[in-house]
Amino acid sequence: MPTVSLRNEWPEALADPSGRRQAKPRTKGRTMILDKGVGLHAFEDLLDLSGEYIDIVKLGFGTSPLYPLPVIRGKIDRAVRRGITIVPGGTLLEAAVRLDVVPGFFRQALELGFTGIEVSDGTIQLDRNLRSELIGEAKSLGLQVFTEYGKKLFGSRIDIDDFAATVQQDLACGADLVIVEARESGKGIGLFDERGDCRDEDLARIRSAVPNLGRLLWEAPLKDQQVALIRALGPDVHLGNIPMQDVIALESMRRGLRSDTFSLQRVPHIDYMI
């Protein structure tokens, strides 16, 4: 019987026409997906298909305590084995702050094997001192820290000066990335208006006010938002709250393999002899 080749032998240039994408572990162009509660088999299928293009998995909101123990351990183990950072949602830490059980939150996060956490105040008020303490505590425990800026209330906007100051302080405390809130809807929150369109003027002001743009991760669950940010900030922009089914579609945009970002391709100059 003839043997079947398992190699993917497309021309090398077609894999990344942009010529820019880093291999994992990436420091540029990280992709964070939002897992709202799929089963273990579906999660494993996702990693088999697109794990190479996923850098961070966030178990959304406060869902982590609701998982059967074997399932959440299985998800964490599978992510870690593929070099993917996995974090519980920021809402869970906000609940731990409100209920005064922060030590228990950290203890269980470490026991389960989470490799990062999100420090946010989208629902509660978190004073600067406590925010700094939470970042410092997580870093001392060996966790990656992703802080988040913005409220989850529909209609909330970014205060550019406050945002710039928060980014500077969070990074000084040890945060790895600062996330710009957009929720899973991507509409009427932060950088995006009620239709989900990017507020270009706000983005321009942020680019002027924040010197560490490479340390920002933009929640952008909708395709047009991803296109807008890639066009404005380049394919190495960090993007989050990506729906699980859209990982490969996003990666194709980062590489110039979709019409929306076709101009990212680096086309070699060819001299034709006549």
Side-chain angles (χ1 to χ4, degrees), residues 158 160 163 191 202-210 213 216 218:
I158 298 173
I160 307 297
F163 175 59
L191 187 65
D202 285 1
L203 180 57
R205 291 180 61 203
I206 289 170
R207 296 179 70 174
S208 297
V210 178
L213 288 175
L216 302 183
W218 307 81

Side-chain angles (χ1 to χ4, degrees), residues 133-147:
E133 289 175 13
L134 292 170
I135 296 169
E137 175 68 12
K139 295 301 291 186
S140 73
L141 295 171
L143 296 165
Q144 290 190 56
V145 178
F146 308 100
T147 61

Side-chain angles (χ1 to χ4, degrees), residues 7-21:
R7 292 180 295 175
N8 192 337
E9 295 182 339
W10 294 101
E12 184 177 351
L14 287 178
D16 182 13
S18 76
R20 298 179 56 163
R21 290 297 282 153

Side-chain angles (χ1 to χ4, degrees), residues 10-235:
W10 294 101
E12 184 177 351
L14 287 178
D16 182 13
S18 76
R20 298 179 56 163
R21 290 297 282 153
Q22 290 182 335
K24 293 171 67 174
R26 275 180 285 272
T27 58
K28 299 177 181 179
R30 302 177 78 183
T31 294
M32 172 191 277
I33 67 166
L34 178 64
D35 178 353
K36 296 191 287 186
V38 303
L40 187 54
H41 294 301
F43 187 78
E44 189 162 25
D45 285 345
L46 171 74
L47 298 190
D48 286 342
L49 176 66
S50 52
E52 182 59 31
Y53 314 122
I54 299 170
D55 303 283
I56 307 160
V57 171
K58 176 166 65 175
L59 301 187
F61 334 121
T63 57
S64 295
L66 306 182
Y67 280 97
L69 196 57
V71 175
I72 193 168
R73 287 191 186 278
K75 285 192 171 188
I76 293 170
D77 177 67
R78 285 160 173 76
V80 170
R81 282 195 279 113
R82 292 176 182 265
I84 297 170
T85 301
I86 184 164
V87 305
T91 302
L92 189 62
L93 180 53
E94 292 184 42
V97 170
R98 185 170 183 269
L99 298 171
D100 196 23
V101 291
V102 170
F105 166 88
F106 279 119
R107 183 172 59 250
Q108 183 65 355
L110 289 173
E111 197 279 330
L112 288 172
F114 280 108
T115 50
I117 65 156
E118 183 180 293
V119 177
S120 65
D121 57 359
T123 305
I124 65 172
Q125 291 298 123
L126 196 64
D127 69 59
R128 181 65 248 180
N129 288 338
L130 181 53
R131 186 180 179 98
S132 299
E133 289 175 13
L134 292 170
I135 296 169
E137 175 68 12
K139 295 301 291 186
S140 73
L141 295 171
L143 296 165
Q144 290 190 56
V145 178
F146 308 100
T147 61
E148 186 173 65
Y149 180 91
K151 296 298 181 184
K152 297 185 183 298
L153 184 66
F154 185 86
S156 62
R157 297 283 297 268
I158 298 173
D159 181 317
I160 307 297
D161 292 336
D162 182 61
F163 175 59
T166 300
V167 171
Q168 182 178 9
Q169 291 170 309
D170 285 357
L171 295 179
C173 290
D176 294 273
L177 293 174
V178 179
I179 301 168
V180 184
E181 173 73 76
R183 304 203 71 180
E184 71 276 16
S185 70
K187 295 183 179 180
I189 300 287
L191 187 65
F192 305 117
D193 65 20
E194 64 278 0
R195 297 183 304 274
D197 295 332
C198 182
R199 293 184 170 109
D200 293 330
E201 183 178 341
D202 285 1
L203 180 57
R205 291 180 61 203
I206 289 170
R207 296 179 70 174
S208 297
V210 178
N212 306 101
L213 288 175
R215 303 288 294 279
L216 302 183
L217 185 150
W218 307 81
E219 291 186 346
L222 304 180
K223 177 230 177 185
D224 287 347
Q225 298 168 352
Q226 298 157 19
V227 171
L229 288 167
I230 289 172
R231 286 177 173 171
L233 302 175

